[in-house]
Amino acid sequence: MTDPAEAPFVFDPPSRPAAWYLLAPSSALPRGRVLTRRIGQDEVVLFRAESGNVGALAPHCWHMGAHLGNGCVTGEHLQCPLHHWAWDREGVPGQIPGGGRAPASARQPGYAVAERLGGVWVWMGDGPPGPVPGFETFADDELLTSHGRPVRLRCAWYAPAANGFDEQHLSTVHGRALRERPQVDVPEPGRMRMRYLSRVTGTGLADRVMKRLSGDHIRVQINCWSGATVTVESDLGRTRSALLLAFVPVGGEVEVTPVFTTRRGGPPGMARLRLAVARFLFTRFIEKDVQVMQGMRFRPRLPLRGNEALETFLRWASALPGERTPHSSTTP
Ligand code: FES
Ligand SMILES: [Fe+2]
């Protein structure tokens, strides 16, 4: 009999990890707006009530199944388009037309919602929500944020998530070399972190700008939050930067939204200029990943010699809680 401890590792991450998902920039959801977002096999209907609070409800009305994405906001409620029952952010019905009362069992299922870093986040998972993704070395109110356009990748969510921990691709794809071995740890459940010091070996315009800005010492820390978000914080000596990449599984593919940031302050217009530079540099960096990941069928062959951080990530991702559908298995 095989000792279970010696059983070969099978990479089998959830198709949709239990996590906070960035579903929209806050600016896309002004008061009174209703938005439908797809995630995994499901849809979520977001709405911003007149008070400014955001709700996230399951799409099909408890009463008879009309799609609430076609509804409208009335005060603190989302009103169903069909018989005008109105649901609050907790899924509790208000008054119903004709003055009647909804039965006590009437509840529209919903999700926990948070707003952070200029975005609307929704918790999709059975357990209690974990911490909403953010940065370790910046306070939120220090930062000006800009949400980029989502990019659809024809691969599973774990391909771009694993990319952040793939030390070998730093030289082959990004023109960077490590100055020392990366450090990997799990600072809290549901968060995996890698820290390293790199130098620039690439020769493109963005590489030369980075080399100049950093004195060729780029200290990076990457966090993956429950599989659905990766944050990248770089210390370039004279300046620091922070980027967030949010993943939303859609079918067997993934939508990646970059959130660019810069520190507030300085002379008028300076922060906007810095944000434009950060956006340029990070976009060049990410474009390289997008090119190589399109169409990828992520199928790691272990052991990954010389890429131990990635192997640690794969084991961590494989143990994440969440929804598992046939998409999640590694096809031989
Ligand atoms: S289906 Fe929504 S109120 Fe009837
Ligand atoms: Fe990359």
Side-chain angles (χ1 to χ4, degrees), residues 71-95:
C72 61
V73 172
T74 55
E76 294 308 295
H77 295 82
L78 174 57
Q79 181 179 280
C80 175
L82 192 51
H83 307 105
H84 290 188
W85 287 31
W87 306 97
D88 72 10
R89 291 184 299 124
E90 309 299 325
V92 177
Q95 273 218 322

Side-chain angles (χ1 to χ4, degrees), residues 160 163-164 166 169-170 173-174 285-286 288-289 292-293:
N163 186 271
D166 182 342
H169 98 295
L170 286 174
V173 174
H174 293 298
F285 199 85
I286 298 165
K288 294 179 178 173
D289 286 321
V292 298
M293 267 184 284

Side-chain angles (χ1 to χ4, degrees), residues 14-17 21 38-42 156-157 228 247-255:
S15 53
R16 192 186 70 195
Y21 289 91
R38 190 160 165 224
I39 171 161
Q41 312 294 326
D42 299 316
W157 66 265
F247 311 130
V248 175
V250 183
E253 302 183 346
V254 59
E255 224 172 59

